[in-house]
Amino acid sequence: MSVASTQQAVVAAEPTRESLDVLDQLMKPEVQESLTVLVENLPKLAEMVTILTKTYDLVQNVATDRVFIEDIKGGVEEFVKPIQDTAKNLASAAIEANDRAQDESTTIGLFGLLKMLKDPQVQKMFRFSQAFLDVLAERQQQRQQ
């Protein structure tokens, strides 16, 4: 026999290192216990895999359905559009008010403040501020109890 054929025969007769590692792993008690648990739970695992597969299929169908995506997009736009318009309106009002305040150089005195107190917007702001402070005080009191 040649050296090459002898080496091939030895390699063929010896189990590979990987198969020895697997067999060594299977001989460990904790691995055997884990396998026992897996075998006992196979019906549950099969049911879970079935549910996960159905869920995956549903999500895949929904994610690729153009009509559904457009409907969701339209619904979100209908919800966001009024909020976006309000935010833009408030931002432009704040910018305009800032510009006016920068241009104005008059001093507001005591009588000017008293006159401002009659303004409905100032009254609305004071009512909101008072209600907001009341709510904060109530919540702080609840946390302390």
Side-chain angles (χ1 to χ4, degrees):
M1 231 196 237
S2 72
V3 174
S5 62
T6 306
Q7 286 177 348
Q8 287 177 350
V10 169
V11 170
E14 292 181 6
T16 63
R17 173 100 175 126
E18 291 175 8
S19 65
L20 282 178
D21 287 343
V22 171
L23 291 174
D24 289 341
Q25 291 293 323
L26 288 173
M27 295 304 293
K28 293 181 180 178
E30 62 270 9
V31 172
Q32 290 177 1
E33 288 175 27
S34 297
L35 287 172
T36 302
V37 170
L38 281 173
V39 170
E40 288 172 357
N41 289 306
L42 276 177
K44 291 178 186 175
L45 289 172
E47 184 179 343
M48 286 176 55
V49 168
T50 302
I51 291 171
L52 285 173
T53 302
K54 288 178 182 178
T55 304
Y56 174 81
D57 291 342
L58 175 68
V59 169
Q60 191 68 24
N61 288 337
V62 167
T64 57
D65 186 358
R66 288 285 164 213
V67 174
F68 180 75
I69 291 171
E70 290 300 320
D71 287 346
I72 294 294
K73 181 181 172 187
V76 169
E77 285 175 353
E78 286 178 21
F79 177 75
V80 171
K81 184 73 171 153
I83 297 170
Q84 183 181 15
D85 292 343
T86 302
K88 284 181 181 179
N89 187 24
L90 288 173
S92 68
I95 291 169
E96 185 177 343
N98 184 45
D99 292 343
R100 285 186 190 180
Q102 295 296 327
D103 293 341
E104 192 68 36
S105 61
T106 60
T107 304
I108 299 175
L110 179 61
F111 292 111
L113 282 173
L114 292 173
K115 184 179 177 186
M116 285 173 53
L117 287 175
K118 293 180 181 178
D119 186 301
Q121 291 298 320
V122 173
Q123 288 295 315
K124 185 177 178 181
M125 185 224 19
F126 282 141
R127 284 191 299 272
F128 174 80
S129 298
Q130 184 62 52
F132 184 72
L133 292 173
D134 290 343
V135 168
L136 287 179
E138 289 171 7
R139 289 185 180 178
Q140 184 177 16
Q141 196 173 34
Q142 287 174 355
R143 279 189 295 230
Q144 290 176 354
Q145 290 177 354

